[in-house]
Amino acid sequence: MNSNAQAVWLDAFARSADDSDGRAPLAATYDLKPYRLAQLYRAATKEFAADLDEVTTLPADLRRRLAADGLRLESIAPVVLQRSSDGQTTKGLFRLRDGNEVEAVLMEHWNDRTTVCISSQAGCAYACAFCSTGQAGYTRNLSAVEIFDQARFFARELKSRGKKITNVVFMGQGEPFANYDAVMDAVRLLNDPNGFGLGHRHITISTVGLVPQIERFAGEGIQVNLAISLHAPTDVQRSSFMPVNRKFKIGELMAACAAYVEKTHRKVFFEYVMLEDVNDDDASARALAKLMRGHLYHVNLIPYNATPDAPMRGTGDGRIRAFAKTLDDAGVPTTVRTPMGRDIAAACGQLRAQTQPRARAAV
Ligand code: SAH
């Protein structure tokens, strides 16, 4: 697994020059010994070097040659950085080499916990009605390194302040399980003890509910957390604002989750965004409790970050508390998520929506 992460990174680095098509592997082109490759990989993934100049373990003439050939350590460049007024949330909009833009968000909690929320695709094809990214449509998958570099950016920023990333969540733009292989490679890059070194248990993948990939993920043998964007307890409700539910019904989704727990003995987290008069009544709470009861499941109730282009409003605090109490009373472990970064439009897709025109329609 370790060498695998390094191979993924070095392969992307070798292709990072604009004219890299058909280029021979790095080691052969530059006559690099394995320890040189390891130094390069380590500088990028453990020291978070942004520029070849910073990789002082390599001889200066080699650094110059690599740079002159157009090889670059960074696959993304920050375009906009916004910090919330309380200083706890920093949102970045990043430009990819082809001009597409994606967002990532750093949340610094009151304790020493820091969570980075990263994107796995430019845009998203799943068109959930309440989600800003979903409204803008799908553009393309990100590569493993483009995903990883979002975490690397914030790791570097935190390091300058003596802090570290403690958690990474795949809850930015895109559907991670629709870009499965790159996301798994990004997990390898995040986890590699010789590199970034973030424990699997500190990584969470959130999916809209793609059943075949949930089944595949159950077989990975890794301790990465799984979160399901459920958002409604009945097919009629869920299909009305999450088109994916027409393909994978709640029964099938819940069966895949039960099988996942049985195989992995790991808890599944269910996200439930609270939408006024859509999914927030007592009957919905009771139906949700029924789906959850008796399993190793945890519900995260998410206060909605209203987006200008969505037709929905968020549920008020009192109703959220009542909803949570119904779940609590039924014995379902429930957390109400603390909203962060509302003043900087930090919900999925909101910043990109402000700066980029709509992508082409969902496919
Ligand atoms: N496609 C994946 C991951 C990206 S969305 C998924 O569906 O899980 C990450 C989470 O943020 C999902 O639970 C999503 O439903 C939620 N979300 C999206 N827009 C939101 C908003 N405006 N306010 C609150 N939560 C939102």
Side-chain angles (χ1 to χ4, degrees):
M1 184 116 143
N2 302 348
S3 59
N4 201 347
Q6 180 173 316
V8 166
W9 189 87
L10 287 170
D11 182 54
F13 177 69
R15 288 183 285 107
S16 67
D18 290 332
D19 64 343
S20 68
D21 288 353
R23 187 177 285 240
L26 208 57
T29 312
Y30 298 96
D31 190 24
L32 297 181
K33 301 267 181 313
Y35 81 95
R36 287 287 182 219
L37 297 174
Q39 282 173 329
L40 194 55
Y41 172 70
R42 192 190 152 92
T45 62
K46 218 176 155 91
E47 318 292 337
F48 322 128
D51 196 285
L52 281 162
D53 280 346
E54 298 166 37
V55 191
T56 48
T57 46
L58 297 184
D61 62 326
L62 174 61
R63 278 184 266 147
R64 272 195 297 274
R65 270 181 72 206
L66 294 170
D69 285 351
L71 291 159
R72 284 171 285 184
L73 292 182
E74 284 278 55
S75 66
I76 62 172
V79 184
V80 182
L81 279 178
Q82 288 179 342
R83 188 166 278 209
S84 63
S85 50
D86 62 12
Q88 286 190 303
T89 308
T90 310
K91 174 144 183 161
L93 181 72
F94 298 93
R95 187 161 297 144
L96 311 173
R97 297 232 178 93
D98 65 0
N100 277 303
E101 291 174 353
V102 294
E103 299 157 334
V105 180
L106 166 69
M107 287 157 281
E108 298 176 65
H109 308 281
W110 57 269
N111 43 15
D112 270 343
R113 216 158 62 84
T114 55
T115 304
V116 175
C117 175
I118 58 179
S119 295
S120 57
Q121 301 182 311
C124 184
Y126 288 88
C128 300
F130 56 86
C131 174
S132 194
T133 302
Q135 296 316 297
Y138 171 77
T139 307
R140 74 162 168 89
N141 278 330
L142 302 193
S143 70
V145 166
E146 285 170 336
I147 298 168
F148 174 62
D149 274 357
Q150 299 165 52
R152 218 167 66 89
F153 176 87
F154 283 115
R156 180 185 312 126
E157 203 269 325
L158 284 169
K159 188 179 166 189
S160 70
R161 294 188 276 126
K163 294 179 78 174
K164 280 178 144 175
I165 292 178
T166 65
N167 295 80
V168 169
V169 297
F170 285 80
M171 295 185 187
Q173 284 166 5
E175 169 49 40
F177 278 173
N179 187 14
Y180 192 93
D181 293 335
V183 164
M184 286 305 147
D185 276 346
V187 167
R188 287 182 190 101
L189 286 165
L190 291 167
N191 179 245
D192 186 359
N194 295 322
F196 201 81
L198 185 69
H200 276 152
R201 289 161 186 262
H202 297 269
I203 300 172
T204 300
I205 297 180
S206 177
T207 176
V208 75
L210 305 187
V211 167
Q213 287 89 327
I214 293 170
E215 290 166 355
R216 186 170 168 197
F217 187 64
E220 293 285 347
I222 54 176
Q223 298 196 306
V224 169
N225 301 301
L226 175 64
I228 308 287
S229 291
L230 187 62
H231 303 326
T234 69
D235 283 324
V236 172
Q237 262 176 313
R238 194 166 191 262
S239 297
S240 75
F241 61 91
M242 294 181 72
V244 70
N245 197 69
R246 291 180 216 138
K247 185 150 186 206
F248 301 112
K249 299 266 182 297
I250 291 180
E252 203 186 337
L253 176 58
M254 297 311 294
C257 292
Y260 168 91
V261 175
E262 190 168 339
K263 192 160 184 176
T264 63
H265 305 289
R266 294 194 56 76
K267 189 188 289 181
V268 177
F269 297 87
F270 288 87
E271 292 156 284
Y272 196 101
V273 62
M274 299 294 296
L275 301 168
E276 189 173 66
D277 298 334
V278 174
N279 64 359
D280 64 351
D281 59 320
D282 290 335
S284 297
R286 285 194 299 271
L288 178 61
K290 212 167 156 191
L291 284 180
M292 297 292 114
R293 225 172 2 222
H295 295 275
L296 194 55
Y297 294 161
H298 188 110
V299 174
N300 284 320
L301 297 178
I302 311 175
Y304 182 52
N305 265 325
T307 71
D309 45 354
M312 302 154 134
R313 285 183 311 276
T315 301
D317 290 346
R319 180 95 284 272
I320 294 179
R321 275 198 301 277
F323 197 94
K325 185 170 185 311
T326 302
L327 291 168
D328 273 341
D329 290 348
V332 177
T334 304
T335 309
V336 179
R337 197 174 283 166
T338 313
M340 291 180 80
R342 277 192 163 160
D343 58 332
I344 54 167
C348 189
Q350 292 184 336
L351 186 57
R352 180 171 176 266
Q354 286 164 14
T355 66
Q356 274 208 328
R358 276 169 170 248
R360 67 187 156 81
V363 287

